[in-house]
Amino acid sequence: MLASIKTHKLQNEGQKLGMMYFRVAIILFGAQLLFGLVAAIQFLAPGFLFEILDFSVARMVHINALVVWMLYAMIGATYYMLTDETEHEGVHLGLGKLAFWVLTAAVTVVVLVYIFVQVGSGTEASIWLIHEGREYIEAPRWADIGIVVVVLIFYWNVFATYMKGRQTGIMTVMVADLLALAGLYLTGMFFTDNISMDQFWWWWVIHLWVEATWEVFVGVLAAYALIRLIGAKREIVEMWLWIEVLMLFGSGILGMGHHYFWIGTPEYWWEIGALFSALEPVPLVAMFVHVLYDWGKQQGAAKERGEAGSVIANGPAMAWIVMNAFGNFLGAGIWGFFHTLPQVNIYTHGTQFTAAHGHLAFFGAYATILIGFMYIGIQGAYGVKRMKATFNSKMGITLIGMGVMGMTVALTIAGYEQVLVERAELGATWNAFFVAQELPWYIQAQMWRTIMGVVTFVGFIYLVLDLLTIGKKAQQQAEA
């Protein structure tokens, strides 16, 4: 079984380009964690870095770095699997490399503007040169246009390679999903002076990305990874992938409706959105359970015949990808369902419950599988058939997982205190907000969130050390 799993050195520009995206992604991941720690400290000590790096700026960089590093890693993962899955060396990848450098330069300029310029006068010049003021996508207009151009180049590279190479079910879903992912970004570039309409289109970028196109994208990555790492049957993973696509129209488009009531749209969106939003992780978890059950049966049958069973080709990658299945179910499913039901959301909306859900959902659904793909990339770069977990691998996944889960629990407790005091008891007034912020439960929860943030960052250091060394160690073991 292991011999059938491809492990080759990077022999084409597509996979080399994918690794370039991974390198920038891990740097931005570190920046996201650092600025998140700064913001967490500012909850406890509001004067920390006051008028040097204010909370509004630290939070803005923290969240935007999250979105951008994941997009980098997604593009990197796509380029890495593209040439392998299509069995084609790639089309116009020189143009793709140029787009990478343009995007990286643009991201660097935007981050520096966030940190050193921060805000403008609110004129047309501010929108073009500083940022547009839309939360989570605060890029200036020139960067918006640049992102669209870069993504169009990326999509053309993928589509053209797909048309010339082998057209598998996995790549068919990928090509269709990337078209939706790229197209949805355009909806956030509309200008309207109607705040409800503006928020409507804004949610189409922010949450329809996450609840539809990103979920399907993760399904594609998981399907490819399971075939590559344990030799999963293609027909099984592709079956669940198509189910995921079918559910996109419910769990994604309709599921986004749990935001609509708060921006002035009809009340019926509450119930529709709450119901379908909770269904997002189901097909992905089902894929993992089905594949691992099938693999376990094969292992048992091989043992009964007295044969050696198959082995996992990449231990660290498999660990992160299994964590993805259940992290997705917990973060997007359970913690999302905690507060999207209308009867609950009327109290929890905008509290730390939202932050708890956001931290675990983004980590569980996306960060985990993207880190797993980084390990797959390193295995390919060093050309080793099997890559075992090291001490750094185990420390990285353990500390990051514990840290994020700890932050999630702490923020859930803070949100619970807000619901009881600020919303239920004091009636959600402006004064109630400040009263709730000063009570012991809230302060202690924020303290634990900060401690768990430090644990996460220590785990990130172990992760980076492992990514820098594990390939060479595996190569040396293979040669010994």
Side-chain angles (χ1 to χ4, degrees):
M1 177 67 73
L2 183 60
S4 68
I5 299 171
K6 296 178 182 178
T7 50
H8 52 271
K9 289 194 176 182
L10 305 182
Q11 297 173 345
N12 58 68
E13 293 304 311
Q15 292 187 332
K16 290 177 183 176
L17 183 55
M19 294 301 289
M20 290 167 64
Y21 273 97
F22 285 151
R23 292 185 193 105
V24 177
I26 203 72
I27 292 168
L28 290 171
F29 184 20
Q32 179 217 340
L33 295 179
L34 272 176
F35 281 92
L37 276 176
V38 169
I41 293 168
Q42 288 171 332
F43 264 98
L44 297 169
F48 181 65
L49 296 181
F50 180 62
E51 294 188 339
I52 299 172
L53 186 65
D54 290 343
F55 173 80
S56 59
V57 177
R59 177 181 179 274
M60 179 166 66
V61 178
H62 173 60
I63 293 174
N64 281 270
L66 163 75
V67 174
V68 175
W69 90 251
M70 288 187 172
L71 284 175
Y72 261 89
M74 285 177 175
I75 294 173
T78 304
Y79 274 128
Y80 188 86
M81 68 176 279
L82 175 66
T83 51
D84 189 23
E85 192 67 11
T86 61
E87 296 180 350
H88 190 282
E89 62 182 7
V91 177
H92 302 304
L93 292 177
L95 190 60
K97 189 173 289 189
L98 175 63
F100 164 81
W101 288 112
V102 169
L103 179 61
T104 303
V107 167
T108 304
V109 171
V110 169
V111 171
L112 291 174
V113 169
Y114 283 168
I115 295 171
F116 294 108
V117 182
Q118 300 182 359
V119 293
S121 58
T123 61
E124 190 74 15
S126 299
I127 292 172
W128 275 96
L129 300 176
I130 301 176
H131 62 75
E132 295 171 306
R134 286 188 174 124
E135 197 175 23
Y136 308 153
I137 46 173
E138 283 132 323
R141 180 53 58 96
W142 69 266
D144 258 352
I145 296 169
I147 288 169
V148 170
V149 172
V150 167
V151 170
L152 286 174
I153 292 170
F154 164 62
Y155 186 74
W156 167 248
N157 288 342
V158 174
F159 180 75
T161 304
Y162 165 79
M163 292 302 293
K164 289 192 174 184
R166 183 176 65 144
Q167 297 176 5
T168 64
I170 287 175
M171 281 310 302
T172 300
V173 174
M174 171 67 84
V175 167
D177 186 60
L178 287 178
L179 181 62
L181 192 150
L184 282 171
Y185 191 81
L186 299 175
T187 63
M189 296 176 69
F190 291 120
F191 174 77
T192 171
D193 55 8
N194 183 310
I195 189 64
S196 290
M197 191 180 296
D198 184 81
Q199 288 282 291
F200 176 87
W201 289 117
W202 175 80
W203 275 116
W204 271 63
V205 177
I206 294 303
H207 225 149
L208 197 50
W209 257 11
V210 174
E211 301 212 15
T213 59
W214 282 28
E215 281 284 346
V216 173
F217 186 91
V218 165
V220 172
L221 296 187
Y224 171 80
L226 289 169
I227 292 172
R228 184 183 176 94
L229 297 180
I230 61 173
K233 293 179 181 177
R234 184 173 288 270
E235 57 267 28
I236 291 177
V237 294
E238 289 189 348
M239 174 192 75
W240 284 109
L241 203 52
W242 286 113
I243 292 172
E244 174 98 3
V245 172
L246 289 172
M247 286 188 64
L248 177 153
F249 296 99
S251 65
I253 296 170
L254 294 178
M256 190 173 63
H258 69 265
H259 299 288
Y260 283 168
F261 177 78
W262 301 101
I263 58 174
T265 45
E267 197 167 333
Y268 56 74
W269 276 112
W270 248 8
E271 283 77 13
I272 294 172
L275 172 64
F276 285 99
S277 180
L279 299 176
E280 287 172 46
V282 173
L284 193 58
V285 174
M287 179 199 295
F288 274 90
V289 172
H290 193 159
V291 165
L292 293 177
Y293 174 76
D294 189 64
W295 185 65
K297 279 183 26 179
Q298 289 177 349
Q299 298 288 87
K303 189 174 181 181
E304 286 180 3
R305 294 192 300 267
E307 301 172 359
S310 62
V311 296
I312 296 171
N314 188 323
M318 191 64 190
W320 280 104
I321 290 165
V322 169
M323 182 181 273
N324 168 259
F326 299 100
N328 195 352
F329 181 73
L330 277 174
I334 302 300
W335 252 265
F337 198 64
F338 271 177
H339 76 127
T340 54
L341 286 174
Q343 296 84 352
V344 178
N345 195 238
I346 194 169
Y347 295 104
T348 62
H349 192 83
T351 67
Q352 296 295 331
F353 262 111
T354 308
H357 163 52
H359 278 74
L360 190 56
F362 269 100
F363 172 75
Y366 306 117
T368 47
I369 199 164
L370 294 173
I371 294 170
F373 254 78
M374 291 177 188
Y375 277 106
I376 291 173
I378 287 172
Q379 183 181 17
Y382 283 88
V384 291
K385 285 187 175 294
R386 189 177 181 195
M387 201 161 78
K388 297 180 181 180
T390 64
F391 175 77
N392 287 342
S393 304
K394 295 170 185 176
M395 289 297 290
I397 193 170
T398 301
L399 291 177
I400 293 175
M402 285 176 55
V404 174
M405 196 67 213
M407 284 191 287
T408 301
V409 172
L411 289 167
T412 302
I413 292 169
Y416 183 64
E417 186 267 354
Q418 284 181 289
V419 166
L420 287 178
V421 177
E422 177 189 329
R423 300 292 170 84
E425 184 180 349
L426 300 180
T429 63
W430 188 233
N431 182 60
F433 173 80
F434 290 104
V435 169
Q437 303 276 312
E438 294 172 0
L439 293 178
W441 273 25
Y442 187 89
I443 294 170
Q444 290 171 16
Q446 292 295 346
M447 180 186 69
W448 278 106
R449 190 267 291 269
T450 306
I451 292 169
M452 290 296 110
V454 172
V455 171
T456 305
F457 192 76
V458 173
F460 170 77
I461 293 170
Y462 275 108
L463 171 66
V464 172
L465 288 173
D466 197 47
L467 291 171
L468 290 173
T469 58
I470 190 172
K472 184 170 285 188
K473 287 179 182 176
Q475 195 176 56
Q476 289 169 348
Q477 288 170 357
E479 292 170 353

